[in-house]
Amino acid sequence: MNVAMILEEGRLGGPQIYVTLVANALEKQINTTLVLPSEISDPFRRRLQESPGLAYKTFKLTRISNNLRSIMKYLFLFIPETYRIYGYFKKERFDIVYVAGGSWQYKGVIAGRLAKAKVIWHLNDTYTPFFIRCVFSLLSSFADAFTFASERTKKYYLPLIR
């Protein structure tokens, strides 16, 4: 089985540590590649390099944040970045795309669906702005399955899933 675990956020934190631990645990049974942003990910990449059996691929990925300039940049680069990820997923023929990091990780979900992989969306937060929730709800049908970091997260997102 060939699995891609994608995070659009490169800063080292809970989701990054989580996917590293899961990928390490699966290393002997499943071919796993972590997909992460090339920017702001040096501590995360150093952590991955400490596990020589883990494969990873970096992409220029713009993350969304709450300032207008960042939002405009994210929207402008959304299609080309998503298309690049899709091309990689298709070329590598991933069976599963595991989207980690939260409900705003849209690029991996869309790219995975376009590449005809099964998409699992890991949700880990319990608050997102209204616009993010609306887009998540629209794209929720692109996922084949969801996993939740907690019962509270599950209660928060279940009403939004189509």
Side-chain angles (χ1 to χ4, degrees):
M1 184 172 293
N2 203 11
V3 176
M5 299 179 91
I6 181 169
L7 295 119
E8 291 181 36
E9 174 63 62
R11 291 181 293 180
L12 185 62
Q16 292 75 14
I17 292 168
Y18 166 78
V19 296
T20 304
L21 293 171
V22 170
N24 272 319
L26 297 174
E27 179 186 354
K28 289 182 176 66
Q29 297 96 359
I30 296 174
N31 181 25
T32 304
T33 303
L34 277 72
V35 177
L36 55 137
S38 54
E39 294 180 355
I40 316 172
S41 64
D42 289 343
F44 185 23
R45 282 186 283 170
R46 279 193 296 275
R47 185 178 185 96
L48 293 174
Q49 290 164 354
E50 292 170 3
S51 300
L54 288 184
Y56 69 91
K57 174 82 172 157
T58 60
F59 284 92
K60 174 112 174 72
L61 295 176
T62 307
R63 68 183 185 92
I64 195 165
S65 70
N66 59 1
N67 69 57
L68 184 59
R69 185 173 182 208
S70 172
I71 292 168
M72 296 307 292
K73 183 178 175 184
Y74 179 84
L75 293 173
F76 182 73
L77 295 172
F78 187 87
I79 291 174
E81 289 179 359
T82 304
Y83 186 77
R84 245 180 278 127
I85 298 165
Y86 152 71
Y88 175 69
F89 287 170
K90 186 175 178 180
K91 180 181 141 220
E92 295 298 321
R93 300 174 61 163
F94 289 106
D95 301 302
I96 296 173
V97 171
Y98 186 89
V99 180
S103 62
W104 53 271
Q105 307 265 331
Y106 310 131
K107 294 172 191 168
V109 171
I110 294 168
R113 174 56 76 186
L114 290 173
K116 297 184 173 37
K118 295 290 183 188
V119 176
I120 300 173
W121 202 340
H122 180 105
L123 301 167
N124 62 358
D125 49 5
T126 55
Y127 173 78
T128 52
F130 178 74
F131 179 76
I132 300 290
R133 284 194 312 271
C134 290
V135 175
F136 166 78
S137 185
L138 288 171
L139 293 178
S140 65
S141 63
F142 283 32
D144 294 287
F146 294 89
T147 182
F148 304 94
S150 67
E151 282 299 318
R152 189 167 168 217
T153 303
K154 187 175 181 179
K155 285 180 186 175
Y156 183 78
Y157 282 106
L158 273 180
L160 301 173
I161 295 173
R162 294 175 177 235

